[in-house]
Amino acid sequence: MHLKIITHEKVVFDEDVDEIYTKTTDGEIGILKKHVPVMAALDIGVTKTIKNNESKYFTTMGGVLQFKDDNAIILTTTAERGDEIDITRAKEAMKRAQARLADKEAEIDAKRAEAALARAMARLKATLNS
């Protein structure tokens, strides 16, 4: 089957794969060849592909997954290959988000801080597996 991961700026991934695993807003989903057609909203998380027993990891920051006739497309605002993520920068972003959420006196937008934390954690999870 074929998978394309596309952002507004570029095609991040465009290859044949044997398996796809990703995080939807309803939970995690796995797709193998000849899977029934599916369309799902994606959550902030990690998308894993497997081809010939080799895994690749990508952050997918929301978006949509469409699968039909052994063709999968992920349209997302941001996607990064796990092996290209700056680990130090992701750790710093996670610490900043955690500090904003922990500071009870600060007037913060909690939803923005939670989303920033989720993005940083997804980036770190993608790098750990790459």
Coordinates of all heavy atoms in Angstrom, one line a residue, residues 38-98:
V38 N -11.4 4.1 5.2 CA -11.5 4.8 6.5 C -11.1 6.2 6.3 O -10.2 6.5 5.5 CB -10.7 4.1 7.6 CG1 -9.2 4.2 7.4 CG2 -11.1 4.7 9.0
M39 N -11.8 7.1 7.0 CA -11.4 8.5 7.1 C -11.5 8.9 8.6 O -12.5 8.5 9.2 CB -12.4 9.4 6.3 CG -11.9 10.8 6.3 SD -12.8 11.7 5.0 CE -11.5 12.3 4.1
A40 N -10.5 9.5 9.1 CA -10.4 9.8 10.5 C -9.7 11.1 10.8 O -8.8 11.4 10.1 CB -9.7 8.6 11.3
A41 N -10.2 11.8 11.8 CA -9.5 13.0 12.3 C -8.3 12.6 13.1 O -8.4 11.7 14.0 CB -10.5 13.9 13.1
L42 N -7.2 13.2 12.9 CA -6.0 12.9 13.6 C -5.8 13.8 14.8 O -6.1 14.9 14.8 CB -4.7 13.0 12.7 CG -4.7 12.0 11.6 CD1 -3.4 12.2 10.8 CD2 -4.7 10.5 12.0
D43 N -5.2 13.2 15.9 CA -4.8 14.0 17.0 C -3.3 14.3 16.9 O -2.7 13.8 16.0 CB -5.1 13.1 18.3 CG -5.3 13.9 19.5 OD1 -5.0 15.1 19.5 OD2 -5.7 13.3 20.6
I44 N -2.8 15.1 17.8 CA -1.4 15.3 17.9 C -0.8 14.0 18.4 O -1.2 13.5 19.4 CB -1.1 16.4 18.9 CG1 -1.6 17.8 18.4 CG2 0.4 16.5 19.1 CD1 -1.5 18.9 19.4
G45 N 0.2 13.5 17.6 CA 0.8 12.2 18.0 C 1.9 11.8 17.0 O 2.4 12.6 16.3
V46 N 2.1 10.5 17.0 CA 3.2 9.9 16.2 C 2.5 8.9 15.2 O 1.6 8.1 15.6 CB 4.2 9.1 17.1 CG1 5.2 8.4 16.3 CG2 4.9 10.1 18.0
T47 N 3.0 9.0 14.0 CA 2.6 8.0 13.0 C 3.8 7.1 12.7 O 4.9 7.6 12.5 CB 2.1 8.7 11.7 OG1 1.0 9.5 12.0 CG2 1.8 7.7 10.6
K48 N 3.5 5.8 12.8 CA 4.6 4.8 12.6 C 4.3 4.1 11.3 O 3.1 3.7 11.1 CB 4.6 3.9 13.7 CG 5.5 2.7 13.6 CD 5.4 1.8 14.8 CE 6.2 0.5 14.7 NZ 6.0 -0.4 15.8
T49 N 5.3 3.9 10.5 CA 5.2 3.1 9.3 C 6.2 1.9 9.4 O 7.2 2.0 10.0 CB 5.5 3.8 8.0 OG1 6.9 4.2 8.0 CG2 4.6 5.0 7.8
I50 N 5.8 0.8 8.8 CA 6.7 -0.4 8.8 C 6.7 -0.9 7.4 O 5.7 -1.1 6.7 CB 6.2 -1.5 9.7 CG1 6.1 -1.0 11.2 CG2 7.1 -2.7 9.6 CD1 5.5 -2.1 12.1
K51 N 8.0 -1.1 6.9 CA 8.2 -1.7 5.6 C 9.4 -2.6 5.7 O 10.5 -2.2 6.2 CB 8.5 -0.6 4.5 CG 8.7 -1.1 3.1 CD 9.0 0.0 2.1 CE 9.2 -0.6 0.8 NZ 9.5 0.5 -0.2
N52 N 9.2 -3.9 5.3 CA 10.2 -4.9 5.4 C 10.8 -4.9 6.8 O 12.0 -5.0 7.0 CB 11.3 -4.6 4.4 CG 10.8 -4.7 3.0 OD1 9.9 -5.4 2.7 ND2 11.4 -3.8 2.1
N53 N 10.0 -4.9 7.8 CA 10.4 -4.9 9.3 C 11.2 -3.7 9.7 O 11.8 -3.8 10.8 CB 11.1 -6.2 9.6 CG 10.2 -7.4 9.5 OD1 9.0 -7.4 9.8 ND2 10.7 -8.5 8.9
E54 N 11.2 -2.7 8.9 CA 11.9 -1.4 9.3 C 10.9 -0.4 9.6 O 10.0 -0.1 8.8 CB 12.8 -1.0 8.2 CG 13.6 0.3 8.6 CD 14.5 0.8 7.4 OE1 15.1 0.0 6.7 OE2 14.6 2.0 7.3
S55 N 11.0 0.2 10.8 CA 10.0 1.2 11.2 C 10.6 2.6 11.0 O 11.7 2.9 11.1 CB 9.8 1.1 12.7 OG 9.2 -0.2 13.0
K56 N 9.6 3.5 10.6 CA 9.9 5.0 10.5 C 8.8 5.7 11.3 O 7.7 5.3 11.3 CB 9.9 5.4 9.1 CG 11.0 4.9 8.3 CD 11.0 5.5 6.8 CE 12.2 4.9 6.0 NZ 12.2 5.3 4.7
Y57 N 9.2 6.8 12.0 CA 8.3 7.5 12.8 C 8.2 9.0 12.4 O 9.2 9.6 12.0 CB 8.8 7.5 14.3 CG 8.8 6.1 14.8 CD1 9.9 5.2 14.6 CD2 7.7 5.6 15.5 CE1 9.9 3.9 15.1 CE2 7.7 4.3 16.0 CZ 8.8 3.5 15.8 OH 8.8 2.2 16.3
F58 N 7.0 9.5 12.5 CA 6.7 10.9 12.1 C 5.8 11.5 13.1 O 4.9 10.9 13.6 CB 6.0 11.0 10.7 CG 6.7 10.3 9.6 CD1 6.6 8.9 9.5 CD2 7.6 11.0 8.8 CE1 7.3 8.2 8.4 CE2 8.2 10.3 7.8 CZ 8.1 9.0 7.6
T59 N 6.0 12.8 13.4 CA 5.0 13.5 14.2 C 3.9 14.0 13.3 O 4.2 14.3 12.1 CB 5.6 14.8 14.9 OG1 6.1 15.7 13.9 CG2 6.7 14.4 15.9
T60 N 2.7 13.8 13.7 CA 1.6 14.4 12.9 C 0.8 15.2 13.9 O 0.3 14.7 14.9 CB 0.8 13.2 12.3 OG1 0.6 12.2 13.2 CG2 1.5 12.7 11.0
M61 N 0.7 16.5 13.6 CA 0.0 17.4 14.5 C -1.4 17.7 14.1 O -1.7 18.8 13.5 CB 0.8 18.7 14.5 CG 2.3 18.5 14.9 SD 2.5 17.8 16.5 CE 4.3 17.7 16.6
G62 N -2.2 16.7 14.3 CA -3.6 16.8 13.9 C -3.8 16.6 12.4 O -2.9 16.1 11.7
G63 N -5.0 16.8 11.8 CA -5.2 16.7 10.4 C -6.2 15.5 10.1 O -7.0 15.2 11.0
V64 N -6.1 14.9 9.0 CA -7.0 13.9 8.5 C -6.2 12.8 7.9 O -5.3 13.0 7.1 CB -8.0 14.5 7.5 CG1 -8.9 13.5 6.9 CG2 -8.8 15.7 8.1
L65 N -6.7 11.6 8.1 CA -6.2 10.4 7.5 C -7.3 9.8 6.6 O -8.5 9.7 7.0 CB -5.9 9.3 8.5 CG -5.7 7.8 8.0 CD1 -4.5 7.7 7.1 CD2 -5.7 6.8 9.1
Q66 N -7.0 9.6 5.3 CA -7.9 8.9 4.4 C -7.2 7.7 3.9 O -6.1 7.7 3.4 CB -8.3 9.8 3.3 CG -9.2 9.2 2.3 CD -9.6 10.1 1.1 OE1 -9.2 11.3 1.1 NE2 -10.3 9.6 0.1
F67 N -8.0 6.5 3.9 CA -7.4 5.3 3.3 C -8.5 4.7 2.4 O -9.6 4.5 2.9 CB -7.1 4.3 4.4 CG -6.5 3.0 3.9 CD1 -5.1 2.9 3.6 CD2 -7.3 1.9 3.7 CE1 -4.6 1.8 3.1 CE2 -6.7 0.7 3.2 CZ -5.4 0.7 2.9
K68 N -8.1 4.3 1.2 CA -9.0 3.7 0.3 C -8.2 3.0 -0.8 O -7.2 3.6 -1.3 CB -10.0 4.7 -0.3 CG -11.0 4.1 -1.3 CD -11.9 5.2 -1.8 CE -12.9 4.6 -2.8 NZ -13.7 5.6 -3.4
D69 N -8.6 1.8 -1.2 CA -7.9 1.1 -2.3 C -6.4 1.0 -2.1 O -5.6 1.3 -3.0 CB -8.2 1.7 -3.6 CG -9.7 1.7 -3.9 OD1 -10.4 0.7 -3.5 OD2 -10.2 2.7 -4.6
D70 N -5.9 0.7 -0.9 CA -4.5 0.6 -0.6 C -3.7 1.9 -0.8 O -2.5 1.8 -1.0 CB -3.9 -0.6 -1.3 CG -4.2 -1.9 -0.6 OD1 -4.6 -1.9 0.5 OD2 -3.9 -3.0 -1.2
N71 N -4.4 3.0 -0.7 CA -3.7 4.3 -0.7 C -4.1 5.1 0.5 O -5.3 5.3 0.8 CB -4.1 5.1 -2.0 CG -3.4 4.6 -3.2 OD1 -2.2 4.7 -3.3 ND2 -4.2 4.0 -4.2
A72 N -3.1 5.5 1.2 CA -3.4 6.3 2.4 C -2.8 7.7 2.2 O -1.7 7.9 1.7 CB -2.7 5.7 3.7
I73 N -3.6 8.7 2.7 CA -3.1 10.1 2.6 C -3.3 10.7 4.0 O -4.4 10.6 4.6 CB -3.9 10.9 1.6 CG1 -3.6 10.4 0.2 CG2 -3.4 12.4 1.7 CD1 -4.5 11.1 -0.9
I74 N -2.3 11.3 4.5 CA -2.4 12.1 5.8 C -2.2 13.5 5.4 O -1.1 13.9 4.9 CB -1.4 11.6 6.8 CG1 -1.7 10.2 7.3 CG2 -1.3 12.6 8.0 CD1 -0.8 9.6 8.3
L75 N -3.2 14.4 5.7 CA -3.1 15.8 5.5 C -3.0 16.4 6.9 O -3.9 16.2 7.7 CB -4.3 16.4 4.8 CG -4.6 15.8 3.4 CD1 -5.9 16.3 2.9 CD2 -3.5 16.1 2.4
T76 N -1.9 17.1 7.2 CA -1.7 17.6 8.5 C -1.0 19.0 8.4 O -0.4 19.3 7.4 CB -0.8 16.6 9.3 OG1 -0.6 17.1 10.6 CG2 0.6 16.4 8.7
T77 N -1.2 19.8 9.5 CA -0.6 21.1 9.5 C 0.9 21.0 9.6 O 1.7 21.8 8.9 CB -1.1 22.0 10.6 OG1 -1.0 21.3 11.8 CG2 -2.6 22.3 10.4
T78 N 1.4 20.1 10.4 CA 2.8 19.9 10.6 C 3.2 18.4 10.7 O 2.5 17.7 11.4 CB 3.3 20.6 11.9 OG1 2.9 22.0 11.9 CG2 4.8 20.5 12.1
A79 N 4.2 18.0 10.1 CA 4.7 16.7 10.2 C 6.3 16.7 10.1 O 6.8 17.5 9.4 CB 4.2 15.8 9.1
E80 N 6.9 15.9 10.9 CA 8.4 15.8 11.0 C 8.8 14.4 11.0 O 8.2 13.6 11.7 CB 8.9 16.6 12.2 CG 8.5 18.0 12.2 CD 8.8 18.6 13.6 OE1 8.0 18.3 14.5 OE2 9.8 19.3 13.8
R81 N 9.9 14.1 10.3 CA 10.5 12.7 10.5 C 11.2 12.7 11.8 O 11.8 13.6 12.3 CB 11.5 12.5 9.4 CG 10.9 12.4 8.0 CD 12.0 12.2 7.0 NE 12.8 11.0 7.3 CZ 12.7 9.9 6.6 NH1 12.0 9.8 5.5 NH2 13.4 8.8 6.9
G82 N 11.0 11.6 12.5 CA 11.6 11.4 13.9 C 13.1 11.6 13.9 O 13.6 12.1 14.8
D83 N 13.7 11.1 12.8 CA 15.2 11.2 12.8 C 15.7 12.6 12.4 O 16.9 12.9 12.4 CB 15.8 10.2 11.8 CG 15.3 10.3 10.4 OD1 14.5 11.2 10.1 OD2 15.7 9.4 9.6
E84 N 14.8 13.6 12.2 CA 15.2 14.9 11.8 C 14.8 15.9 12.9 O 15.1 17.1 12.8 CB 14.5 15.4 10.5 CG 15.0 14.6 9.3 CD 14.3 14.9 8.0 OE1 13.3 15.7 8.1 OE2 14.7 14.5 7.0
I85 N 14.3 15.5 14.0 CA 13.8 16.3 15.1 C 15.0 16.7 16.0 O 15.8 15.9 16.4 CB 12.7 15.7 15.9 CG1 11.5 15.5 15.0 CG2 12.4 16.5 17.2 CD1 10.4 14.7 15.6
D86 N 15.0 18.0 16.4 CA 16.1 18.5 17.3 C 15.6 18.1 18.7 O 14.7 18.8 19.3 CB 16.2 20.0 17.1 CG 17.3 20.6 18.0 OD1 17.6 20.0 19.1 OD2 17.7 21.7 17.7
I87 N 16.2 17.1 19.3 CA 15.8 16.6 20.6 C 15.9 17.7 21.7 O 15.0 17.9 22.5 CB 16.6 15.4 21.0 CG1 16.3 14.2 20.0 CG2 16.3 14.9 22.4 CD1 17.2 13.0 20.1
T88 N 17.0 18.4 21.7 CA 17.2 19.5 22.7 C 16.1 20.5 22.7 O 15.6 20.9 23.7 CB 18.6 20.1 22.5 OG1 19.6 19.1 22.6 CG2 18.9 21.2 23.6
R89 N 15.8 20.9 21.5 CA 14.7 21.9 21.3 C 13.4 21.4 21.8 O 12.6 22.1 22.4 CB 14.7 22.3 19.8 CG 13.8 23.5 19.5 CD 14.0 24.0 18.1 NE 12.9 24.8 17.8 CZ 12.1 24.8 16.7 NH1 12.4 23.9 15.8 NH2 11.1 25.6 16.5
A90 N 13.1 20.1 21.5 CA 11.8 19.5 21.9 C 11.8 19.4 23.4 O 10.7 19.7 24.0 CB 11.7 18.2 21.2
K91 N 12.9 19.1 24.0 CA 12.9 19.0 25.5 C 12.7 20.3 26.1 O 12.0 20.5 27.1 CB 14.2 18.4 26.0 CG 14.3 16.9 25.8 CD 15.6 16.3 26.3 CE 15.7 14.8 26.1 NZ 17.0 14.3 26.5
E92 N 13.3 21.4 25.6 CA 13.1 22.7 26.1 C 11.7 23.2 25.9 O 11.1 23.8 26.8 CB 14.1 23.7 25.4 CG 15.5 23.5 25.7 CD 16.5 24.3 24.9 OE1 16.1 25.0 23.9 OE2 17.7 24.2 25.1
A93 N 11.1 22.9 24.8 CA 9.7 23.2 24.6 C 8.8 22.5 25.6 O 7.8 23.1 26.1 CB 9.2 22.9 23.1
M94 N 9.1 21.3 25.9 CA 8.3 20.5 26.8 C 8.4 21.2 28.2 O 7.4 21.3 28.9 CB 8.7 19.1 26.9 CG 7.8 18.2 27.8 SD 8.2 16.5 27.7 CE 9.7 16.4 28.7
K95 N 9.6 21.5 28.6 CA 9.8 22.1 29.9 C 9.1 23.5 30.1 O 8.5 23.8 31.1 CB 11.3 22.3 30.2 CG 12.1 21.0 30.5 CD 13.5 21.3 30.7 CE 14.3 20.0 30.8 NZ 15.7 20.1 30.8
R96 N 9.1 24.3 29.0 CA 8.4 25.6 29.0 C 6.9 25.4 29.2 O 6.3 26.1 29.9 CB 8.7 26.4 27.7 CG 10.1 27.0 27.7 CD 10.2 28.0 26.5 NE 9.8 27.4 25.2 CZ 10.7 26.8 24.4 NH1 11.9 26.7 24.7 NH2 10.3 26.3 23.2
A97 N 6.4 24.4 28.4 CA 4.9 24.2 28.5 C 4.6 23.7 29.9 O 3.5 24.1 30.5 CB 4.5 23.2 27.4
Q98 N 5.4 22.8 30.4 CA 5.1 22.2 31.8 C 5.1 23.4 32.8 O 4.3 23.4 33.7 CB 6.1 21.1 32.1 CG 5.8 19.8 31.4 CD 6.9 18.8 31.6 OE1 8.1 19.1 31.8 NE2 6.5 17.5 31.5

